Amino acid sequence: MLIAYEEFARRADALRAQIAAACTAAGRDPATVELLAVTKTHPAGAVDHAARYGLRGVGENRVQEGVEKRAQIAASSASVRWELIGHLQSNKAKLAARHFHRVQSVDSAKLLTHLDRAAAETGKTLPVLLQINAGDDPAKFGADLAAAPALLETALAQKNLRVDGLMTIAPLGATPGETAAHAERTFANLRTLRDDLAARFGSPLRELSMGMTGDLTIAIAAGSTMVRVGTALFGVR
Ligand SMILES: *Cc1c(COP(=O)(O)O)cnc(C)c1O
């Protein structure tokens, strides 16, 4: 069940206050952290809530679900940006390139070449993030830290893609303390990797998409420019 808009707005207000406090603590300008509403598993009305509140983008983790939802949103939500944050198979690259404004989950050279071809066919430049398994989680998708330079080199060679930055998901721990420690290590790794790659390849890689409901404060301290939040906005899935 989708929550009412008023309840959504209260939660979004609280979240923005939390983001602002985390920015202040880190000596950062709150305007440098975007809140991406993760609408996966929720109906199209969730996208309408986000748009009405003034959020720029929504995150979906399945191509098909996003495509169906996009056909159902209100006309007033048409300017919302759709970001794919879940694992993408190469055979769905064409559909993803056509219906999403950015793909955050690019983790292989094969997927890069498929997305580049798909973007060429749609006649547009497709922005992407490289998903890095910066926490060495065996259960997570994403390129290994060691494979990141070669993946970036391949990405920068694609004529129809624009590499905006990096994305990661921190592994869960057995306890809240362990989860927090994993998050700190994972986000610090991604930040260090970004700084190294930016210097080495002369590409700004401005976007650091890291932090979700449970670890966004830690992510902002480490330099996140985009937190992807579902549960705190829409409730448990
Ligand atoms: C579901 C999901 C999120 C949102 O997680 P919450 O804990 O509900 O905030 C963020 N990023 C990715 C990649 C996800 O799949």
Side-chain angles (χ1 to χ4, degrees):
M1 250 268 292
L2 180 63
I3 56 171
Y5 176 74
E6 290 67 26
E7 173 64 18
F8 172 84
R10 268 193 294 277
R11 292 180 185 192
D13 285 347
L15 205 47
R16 284 178 56 216
Q18 187 187 345
I19 291 168
C23 284
T24 301
R28 300 185 54 197
D29 174 358
T32 61
V33 181
E34 182 177 344
L35 171 57
L36 183 77
V38 176
T39 47
K40 69 184 186 200
T41 77
H42 297 290
V47 179
D48 294 331
H49 283 359
R52 179 173 166 192
Y53 187 81
L55 300 183
R56 275 183 71 226
V58 296
E60 286 284 333
N61 70 339
R62 291 167 183 271
V63 176
Q64 196 62 42
E65 184 182 337
V67 171
E68 284 166 20
K69 222 171 273 184
R70 199 176 171 196
Q72 296 164 1
I73 56 169
S76 53
S77 306
S79 65
V80 155
R81 291 175 48 82
W82 292 77
E83 304 230 16
L84 185 65
I85 59 173
H87 182 64
L88 176 61
Q89 284 171 332
S90 296
N91 62 9
K92 300 230 177 82
K94 203 182 269 190
L95 199 60
R98 195 176 313 138
H99 291 280
F100 285 83
H101 295 91
R102 188 161 68 176
V103 178
Q104 297 201 4
S105 46
V106 180
D107 61 359
S108 73
K110 182 181 173 195
L111 183 55
L112 280 167
T113 54
H114 278 76
L115 283 172
D116 184 63
R117 204 179 311 143
E121 283 174 19
T122 60
K124 68 175 185 187
T125 297
L126 179 69
V128 298
L129 302 183
L130 302 182
Q131 183 177 351
I132 308 297
N133 187 2
D136 280 324
D137 185 346
K140 287 282 188 309
F141 290 109
D144 291 342
L145 282 165
L151 188 64
L152 177 60
E153 191 169 11
T154 302
L156 292 172
Q158 308 303 316
K159 293 200 166 48
N160 305 287
L161 303 181
R162 184 187 81 207
V163 189
D164 285 347
L166 308 177
M167 182 271 247
T168 199
I169 306 169
L172 287 176
T175 62
E178 199 179 291
T179 296
H182 283 328
E184 275 176 30
R185 172 176 61 85
T186 301
F187 300 151
N189 282 346
L190 196 72
R191 168 66 183 269
T192 301
L193 175 69
R194 192 280 303 275
D195 293 350
D196 289 350
L197 292 175
R200 187 163 150 192
F201 288 86
S203 172
L205 302 174
R206 201 196 59 80
E207 198 86 271
L208 276 181
S209 174
M210 55 188 197
M212 324 198 314
T213 294
D215 55 19
L216 67 93
T217 298
I218 296 170
I220 289 169
S224 172
T225 60
M226 175 174 276
V227 292
R228 311 175 306 264
V229 179
T231 306
L233 285 174
F234 301 107
V236 290
R237 288 178 292 272

